Amino acid sequence: MIILTKLNDQSFTLNALYIEQVQAFPDTTVTLTNGKKIVVKETEQELYQKIIEFYKQIGLTSLVSKHYDSNEEV
């Protein structure tokens, strides 16, 4: 689980496994696997770091590092 902040400064906890896509429009928009979109204050890079840390906590680091080693843009 990661803690994020909505634009109204309200924080909430999100299960990062449900994140399908993250984009900056310029606000960071998180698209979940169910199609719901959430706009957050965190930058795309901050969100990426939170997701990586969450994956480390649950033991998915080898899967993440293999995927992102080939995709350096993120």
Side-chain angles (χ1 to χ4, degrees), residues 29-40:
T29 304
V30 180
T31 304
L32 305 180
T33 55
N34 64 3
K36 182 177 181 179
K37 293 181 186 282
I38 304 170
V39 180
V40 297

Side-chain angles (χ1 to χ4, degrees), residues 16-73:
L17 294 175
Y18 293 119
I19 295 174
E20 182 175 317
Q21 180 174 306
V22 176
Q23 292 179 298
F25 291 131
D27 294 325
T28 306
T29 304
V30 180
T31 304
L32 305 180
T33 55
N34 64 3
K36 182 177 181 179
K37 293 181 186 282
I38 304 170
V39 180
V40 297
K41 281 191 164 185
E42 289 76 13
T43 66
E44 206 170 347
Q45 188 61 33
E46 290 170 330
L47 187 52
Y48 169 75
Q49 292 301 323
K50 288 180 181 235
I51 293 168
I52 295 300
E53 186 59 36
F54 171 70
Y55 285 169
K56 285 180 184 177
Q57 289 175 0
I58 62 171
L60 291 177
T61 48
S62 63
L63 294 174
V64 172
S65 60
K66 287 179 187 175
H67 174 74
Y68 286 105
D69 284 345
S70 64
N71 187 3
E72 294 295 326
E73 290 181 18

